[in-house]
Amino acid sequence: MEFFRFSRDIPFMSWKRVAAVISLVTFILSVFFITTRGLNLGVDFTGGTVLEISYEQTADLNKIRNVLAGLNMTDVTVQNFGTSRDVMIRLPVMPEYSSAQLSETVLDALRQADNTVEMRRVEFVGPQVGKELLENGALALLFVSLGIVAYLAVRFEWKFGIAGIVANLHDVIIILGFFAFFQWEFSLTVLAAVLAILGYSVNESVVIFDRIRENFRKLRKVSVDKVINNAITRTMARTIMTHGSTQMVVISMLLFGGEVLFYFALALTIGIWFGIYSSIMVASPILMLLGVKREDLVKLEEKKPENDGAVV
């Protein structure tokens, strides 16, 4: 069932120059903010102390933050986990305290405010461990990117691989640029969101690339830009339904998931919107720039098995 129908093709490729300017400006600004301001790395990457405490009644997170602020501990994360009575506190590395002293100081201050508080767990993440996590995360991004290029190059042609990875890296840099500009905390959960967006965005690109390949075989007397416009327009109903449904779930996490899921959902939201944009207005124009040829795709299509259908 198709809820959204388009009576004529939308001329996306006629806007490719405007899109190129927008993409270059946002990409350059993102790289500038990442370089000059850097990412606000969380405890997972920088090292620090994680405390898990429990109350007999619902914990007042603002009250806990005020207690920690009284100890000059402002760069902390306080969030519920499990139940409303359980609280996780993430503290950065503080050279003036040992790990044991830090946990005891925090617990004593919290007990003065509420004597029902109990310590459940204390975990120290060393700076070396955080550095290794950051390096492993960067390697994960690299290997995922190489895998995407290889997949698109084998499934379609090397030009599609280049177009797809440029569009995907565009999304990643934009997400990192937002986090650098606003100095939002970049944690392991945000890194997981970035990796998820890489897969999510490439799926959108594959759907469009499949339609382009089909159109080159069927619309033999139509120019390349019209072939691409028709392919994108044919997938718009699917794009609206798929991304709309996904975004509703992500918005629910953003609004009701609490501090634990907030930045994860925020990264997904940015990635979803820019993933749609890049698949349409970055990957497709790059195909035209690289001079994708009808003959190459028709030959490749003839070598494919008949049941090699498009991703829907």
Side-chain angles (χ1 to χ4, degrees):
M1 182 180 295
E2 192 170 334
F3 291 98
F4 303 95
R5 293 182 180 273
F6 298 88
S7 58
R8 62 183 64 183
D9 293 344
I10 304 173
F12 289 104
M13 293 302 99
S14 64
W15 308 323
K16 61 181 180 292
R17 290 185 176 84
V18 176
V21 172
I22 295 173
S23 299
L24 283 174
V25 169
T26 53
F27 186 87
I28 292 172
L29 285 176
S30 297
V31 172
F32 173 77
F33 291 131
I34 294 170
T35 304
T36 57
R37 307 191 65 168
L39 294 172
N40 179 22
L41 298 176
V43 175
D44 298 327
F45 297 122
T46 61
T49 303
V50 178
L51 308 177
E52 291 182 6
I53 59 176
S54 178
Y55 289 87
E56 291 184 356
Q57 300 177 357
T58 300
D60 187 342
L61 300 185
N62 290 328
K63 185 177 180 180
I64 296 173
R65 294 188 183 100
N66 292 333
V67 171
L68 296 175
L71 297 174
N72 294 323
M73 300 178 184
T74 54
D75 190 17
V76 299
T77 302
V78 180
Q79 59 195 39
N80 286 114
F81 78 100
T83 69
S84 60
R85 296 176 297 174
D86 299 318
V87 179
M88 177 182 292
I89 302 174
R90 295 175 180 265
L91 300 164
V93 175
M94 296 185 177
E96 63 271 25
Y97 295 101
S98 67
S99 180
Q101 290 174 338
L102 182 59
S103 60
E104 290 176 2
T105 301
V106 171
L107 185 59
D108 289 341
L110 293 175
R111 279 177 175 165
Q112 291 178 9
D114 188 337
N115 59 10
T116 65
V117 63
E118 294 182 4
M119 182 71 71
R120 297 286 183 164
R121 181 174 68 96
V122 180
E123 182 178 321
F124 176 72
V125 180
Q128 183 61 34
V129 176
K131 183 180 179 182
E132 291 177 0
L133 287 173
L134 185 60
E135 291 175 353
N136 291 337
L139 286 175
L141 284 173
L142 175 62
F143 289 140
V144 169
S145 300
L146 292 177
I148 290 172
V149 173
Y151 167 74
L152 292 177
V154 171
R155 183 177 175 86
F156 300 100
E157 196 194 13
W158 65 268
K159 296 174 184 177
F160 286 83
I162 293 177
I165 199 58
V166 169
N168 276 261
L169 291 180
H170 172 272
D171 301 338
V172 171
I173 295 299
I174 295 300
I175 295 173
L176 297 180
F178 270 96
F179 274 79
F181 178 75
F182 292 104
Q183 286 297 288
W184 295 327
E185 183 182 15
F186 190 86
S187 61
L188 278 175
T189 56
V190 176
L191 177 60
V194 172
L195 291 171
I197 287 300
L198 277 173
Y200 190 85
S201 180
V202 75
N203 181 66
E204 181 68 20
S205 299
V206 167
V207 171
I208 295 175
F209 290 168
D210 257 319
R211 295 297 183 271
I212 292 174
R213 185 174 62 180
E214 288 179 8
N215 282 357
F216 271 132
R217 186 179 46 152
K218 296 176 180 178
L219 309 176
R220 297 181 180 272
K221 297 182 180 180
V222 179
S223 61
V224 174
D225 59 336
K226 291 183 179 179
V227 165
I228 294 176
N229 287 336
N230 178 266
I232 298 173
T233 303
R234 287 176 58 196
T235 61
M236 284 302 294
R238 176 255 177 207
T239 298
I240 294 172
M241 294 295 294
T242 302
H243 294 289
S245 301
T246 306
Q247 190 60 64
M248 285 192 293
V249 176
V250 173
I251 288 177
S252 298
M253 289 192 294
L254 188 67
L255 297 178
F256 308 112
E259 192 173 353
V260 180
L261 296 176
F262 181 79
Y263 290 118
F264 173 78
L266 189 60
L268 285 178
T269 298
I270 298 170
I272 287 172
W273 285 103
F274 276 94
I276 298 171
Y277 168 80
S278 66
S279 297
I280 296 174
M281 302 307 301
V282 176
S284 298
I286 288 176
L287 282 179
M288 294 186 64
L289 182 65
L290 293 175
V292 62
K293 296 180 180 179
R294 183 193 312 272
E295 294 79 9
D296 294 337
L297 288 178
V298 170
K299 291 178 182 178
L300 187 64
E301 180 72 14
E302 291 173 351
K303 296 178 182 179
K304 295 280 183 182
E306 293 183 359
N307 61 350
D308 183 22
V311 179
V312 294

